[in-house]
Every structure is written in C-alpha cells, then in structure tokens.
Amino acid sequence: MKNNKKNQVYVWPLCTRFVHWLIALSFTFSFILSFFEHRLNYHVAVGIIFGLMLLYRIIWGFIGPRYATFNTFKLSLSELKFYFVEKIKNRYREIPAGHNPASSWYTLIVLSVGSVIAISGLLLYGIQEAKGYLSVLNDDYYMYSDTLLNIHIYASYTLLAWAFIHIIGVLIEQFYHKTNMVFAMITGYKKAKGEDAELCTPKNIVSYIFLILSVWVFYVILDGTHNPFVKSKFTNIDYKSENDIFYEKCGDCHKIYPPFLLTEKSWIRIMDGLDNHFGEKITDQNISKQEAIVIKNYLLKNAAEHSTREAAVKIVASVKDGRPIAITKTLYWIETHKNIPRSAYSDKKIKDKSNCFSCHKNIEKGNTEDINILYHY
Ligand code: HEC
Ligand code: HEC
C-alpha cells in the first residue's frame, strides 16, 4: 500500500489491528460470560479465540511485519525511565513509530499473563469439567482443579486491571499529548517518523489461517455436546440397567439422586434410617431387607469418594467428617445455590430445593453439567 499521508507512518497493518481488537474483545466477553455458569460453552468458545489470538500474536512477534516483532521491543529499564521522564517533561514530544518502552513491556505482560489464563482454562476444561480432548487428564489430576481455578481467576483479574492501565495510558496520549493514539489502532497510521510496515503474501496467509481457525473452533465448540472438542468424559448413566432394584425402589417417590452426590457415611445413614426417610416410613414391604442390602452396596460403591466428577470431589471436601442426610445439607450445595432467590421455590414447577430435577436437566441420569442448568425461575 502506498502511504501518501504526510508526517504519518503506516505502523499497524490490518492483521495486527485485527489481532489487537480480537484479543481485547474475546477477553472482555469471556470475562463477562464466566459469571454465567450455564453459558460455559460460550465462555470456552470465546476463550479459545482469545488463546488462538495470543498464539498468533506470539508467532507474529517472530515473523510479523516491522514494528510488531519482539526484536523491535524496547525493554531496557533505562529506556523505560527515560520514556516516562520525557513524557512528563515534554508534552508534545515526538513518539516512536513502533512500540515505545512502556507498550513493549505492556505487550509482553499481556502475552504472558494471557497465556497463563488460556492454558489454565484449557486444563480446567479437561481436568475439572472432564470435557474435550483433555478430559483424559481428569482421572489423574482432578485434585488440582481448585489450584488451577485460582490461577485462572487471579490471572484474569490481573489482566483486567492491566488492561485498564493501558486504556488510561492511551487516553492520556490521545487527549493530553494529542498523539492521536486511539486512532492508530483503527486506521493503522501513527503521527511519527519512520518507514511503513509492509506485509508479504505468506505472512498474510498465516493471518488468514488463524482467522479461519478461530471462527471454525468457535462454531465447533458451540455446535453441541457430541464432537470430541466438547464431549464430556461422563455420559448419562442408565441406572435402570446398572442396578434395576436401586432404580425401581429409589426412583419410586422421586427421581434418582445420583449416588456420587453423597459420601459413603451419608448413604449408610440414609439406608439405616429408611423407617424415617424425610418423614416417609419406608417399610420392608416397600423395600425388603435383601433389596436394601443390594441398594446399599451399590450406593457405597458409587459414592462421592469413588468419583472424579467436579461435584463429587467438592462434596467430599465440603463434608469433611460429617454425614449429612441430604445433598441439600452439604456445605457445597448450600454454597453453590446461595444466589437462588427464595421466590424461585414458590414456582409450581420447582417447589422444593430437593427438586434438583426441575433446574438440572438429566441430573437423574447423573448429568451435572453446567450447560444443563435451567434458569427458568
Ligand atoms: C416413600 C417414598 C420414597 C422412597 C421409596 C424413597 N424416597 Fe428418598 N425422599 C423421599 C422424600 C419425600 C424426600 C424429601 C425430599 C423431597 O420432597 O423430594 C426424599 C429425599 C431423599 C434424598 C435427599 C435429597 C436432598 O434434598 O438432598 C435422598 C438422597 C434420597 N431421598 C435418597 C433415596 C434413596 C437412596 C432411596 C432408595 C433407598 C429413596 N430415597 C427412596 C421419599 C422417598
Ligand atoms: C431452583 C433451581 C435449582 C435447584 C432446585 C437445584 N439447583 Fe443445583 N444449581 C442451580 C443453579 C442456578 C446452579 C449454578 C449456580 C452458580 O454457580 O451460579 C446450580 C449448581 C449446581 C451444581 C454445581 C454445578 C457446577 O459444576 O458448578 C450442582 C452439582 C448442583 N447444582 C446440584 C444440585 C442438586 C443435587 C440439587 C438437588 C438436591 C440441586 N442442584 C437443586 C439451580 C438449582
């Protein structure tokens, strides 16, 4: 492209601007989406765009056009100090065409913290949610879920704060120093001296590949629950064929509560107290001694301690030495449901907090996936 603008340099070619805005937007959107549990697939889909764009920006740092490559970054501390001294002393100073020392450091930190966020997120999807290709890691590493989640969250807040600093810096450039910084990332032109950035065809192709890849991954993730990118390691359980007696007898008054949602001690307490089961008297006529033994064994074998599902692991941790008689009495359940308004239970379809089935699609088949939470109250 020919640059016929006076006193302006073409610094940011289209793809550099594109990656900049996609990183900003995908981060913002996935941050907001993280507050909506049942939108996990959207969060992941947008998060993957963020990760891919970071990867692309890192590759760009090696092969990209002039001004985008890491070897043009100004990283010495004396340069950084000089930059700020000059900024304070001289309002209308000349600015460099490419990255200044502050924005060099800024970009490096975004790429590092961003990578921590993207990698911990991918690992969480596999290890904690047991979904996608990395779900093979769930068995051996489920105990690191909390650590990973903390890393993911703290890194995200760090990046958010960091982005605000960036925005303030750019606004100071725009309105105080009047360098027209905001528009540089839109038009590509900067009021500075230097040579224009140029982009050869192969590098353009790399950019398009990343663009197509991210759009494709986005659709694949949102596409449903069956493709290997999002497929859960845990499929719905057919309790009837697993244990007919348990299914028939314990599914008589209410739908099945999955055994992995209570610990062994709790199930023992429930099975030893059938004569007063939440106000119901379950007699030998309802469930014979023989059947009760079969059910109890099945429950103990499949109790929370023997599962690597997120809910099971967290229930075991929250119950400690206690033996609550209901899932709704575990600290974990109380914590995860504390934001549900009381008025939800006056809804005829829900009525009671024990009516898990009204808010969790297929929970009676052992499905506790976030995307199956129904917010209909
Ligand atoms: C005679 C009817 C009846 C039968 C049979 C029955 N239950 Fe229940 N169960 C109830 C009632 C009533 C509640 C209270 C919650 C509700 O209203 O659904 C309850 C609650 C529970 C809860 C607590 C849910 C919570 O709030 O966290 C568990 C766990 C449970 N039942 C397990 C079992 C198991 C295991 C069996 C089979 C051995 C069984 N139930 C058979 C009537 C029954
Ligand atoms: C009134 C609707 C409602 C009822 C009833 C309800 N839940 Fe939930 N549940 C939710 C919502 C909403 C969330 C997501 C909370 C959040 O993290 O924002 C949730 C979260 C969960 C989670 C955590 C999911 C995850 O991976 O983060 C589990 C497990 C769960 N519920 C199990 C149960 C069980 C078991 C019952 C019945 C004993 C139950 N729920 C009853 C609405 C309900």
Side-chain angles (χ1 to χ4, degrees), residues 3 99 362:
N3 175 6
H99 280 286
N362 287 338

Side-chain angles (χ1 to χ4, degrees), residues 240-269:
K240 189 171 166 50
S241 69
E242 282 247 320
N243 190 317
D244 193 29
I245 299 177
F246 166 62
Y247 179 79
E248 294 298 339
K249 298 291 174 178
C250 300
D252 197 17
C253 308
H254 46 66
K255 291 187 187 173
I256 293 293
Y257 291 108
F260 62 79
L261 289 179
L262 279 174
T263 57
E264 289 178 357
K265 277 186 181 165
S266 289
W267 286 125
I268 291 174
R269 189 168 162 211

